[in-house]
Amino acid sequence: MTCSAVVPAAGRGQRLGGREKPLLPLAGRPALAWVLEALSASGVIAEIIVVASEANREAVESLCTALGLSLPVQVVIGGAERALSVRAGVEHVPDDRRYVLIHDAARPLVTPELVRRAIAAALRHGAAVAAIPVTDTIKQVASDGRVVTTPERSTLVAAQTPQVFRLDWLREAYRRAGAQWVTATDEAMLLERAGFPVYVFPGDPENLKLTTPLDVTIAELILERRMRGNA
């Protein structure tokens, strides 16, 4: 196993009333617990680096201890923005790891199978991003609301996490970006800007991100369905 996992878990959801997404209860457990157990169960991760905030660090550490996972888990402190937290986590990845997987704690429906597919894709390409086809027609609009263009839907995908990269590529992408690395909305964008090839692999429509109260409701329903299926 040559891949470390970095899990940014420092964010608060403004559309969730400022609640901490990693600790949101879902089907009786914190969202972060579902993520960590999926990563551990995948069997392809060497260790997990959870990036917490100063405010939730104690709760995150207690959760990690209580889960009793079979692989090492380290909790480090991140920043106010997601990009800062991911960078903090990447800096703690051992230098002898060849790959790093990044997965948001706000996507608690990740499965071990999706993690395995992510790493398999990265082994083929060096950089791989989970993505699903866009089903809506997308409009690019100007600041005044005027439609500028309608991109061809068949060429569009919605990016998810996990995203897996060669560790040396990601660190070089940070170096080439200079101070602009903080503006990237995901790490794949950093590699794209640096000229590294980034490929997508099939994500999972159920791998939703907790952004609104509706997302929380849907996530709970999916998790409850999964638990009934495993009973």
Side-chain angles (χ1 to χ4, degrees):
M1 291 183 288
T2 62
C3 184
S4 297
V6 172
V7 180
R12 290 179 176 270
Q14 296 305 313
R15 281 174 280 184
L16 290 171
R19 301 165 69 191
E20 295 185 18
K21 295 181 184 180
L23 302 176
L24 277 174
L26 293 175
R29 315 185 70 197
L32 178 59
W34 296 104
V35 172
L36 298 181
E37 290 198 336
L39 291 170
S40 179
S42 72
V44 290
I45 298 296
E47 68 267 315
I48 302 173
I49 300 165
V50 182
V51 189
S53 65
E54 290 285 1
N56 71 10
R57 178 173 189 165
E58 184 175 342
V60 168
E61 288 179 334
S62 295
L63 172 62
C64 293
T65 300
L67 288 175
L69 299 177
S70 60
L71 72 172
V73 180
Q74 180 182 7
V75 179
V76 302
I77 296 299
E81 304 293 336
R82 179 189 178 281
L84 297 172
S85 291
V86 173
R87 180 81 184 259
V90 171
E91 288 176 352
H92 284 81
V93 173
D95 291 338
D96 60 352
R97 296 295 176 224
R98 185 171 171 83
Y99 293 89
V100 57
L101 176 147
I102 298 164
H103 184 73
D104 295 326
R107 290 188 185 271
L109 297 174
V110 65
T111 63
E113 172 58 25
L114 184 58
V115 173
R116 288 190 286 268
R117 290 210 309 268
I119 292 179
L123 289 172
R124 289 193 300 272
H125 302 297
V129 175
I132 58 174
V134 171
T135 57
D136 294 326
T137 296
I138 304 299
K139 302 289 186 182
Q140 182 181 351
V141 299
S143 59
D144 62 358
R146 179 179 60 85
V147 173
V148 176
T149 187
T150 302
E152 174 55 48
R153 188 169 59 190
S154 64
T155 67
L156 301 176
V157 295
Q160 302 178 330
T161 61
Q163 302 183 359
V164 186
F165 312 107
R166 279 181 45 170
L167 180 60
D168 58 342
W169 285 11
L170 179 56
R171 287 179 169 167
E172 176 63 15
Y174 278 125
R175 188 191 68 80
R176 294 184 191 180
Q180 295 304 308
W181 66 267
V182 296
T183 65
T185 54
D186 69 2
E187 287 61 48
M189 182 184 293
L190 282 175
L191 272 78
E192 294 159 28
R193 290 174 175 175
F196 292 106
V198 179
Y199 289 78
V200 299
F201 67 93
D204 185 344
E206 291 189 353
N207 183 32
L208 58 81
K209 186 176 182 181
L210 301 179
T211 303
T212 68
L214 179 59
D215 298 326
V216 176
T217 299
I218 295 172
E220 284 199 301
L221 290 172
I222 293 173
L223 288 169
E224 289 168 357
R225 185 203 69 206
R226 290 180 181 178
M227 288 188 293
R228 287 196 301 270
N230 292 331

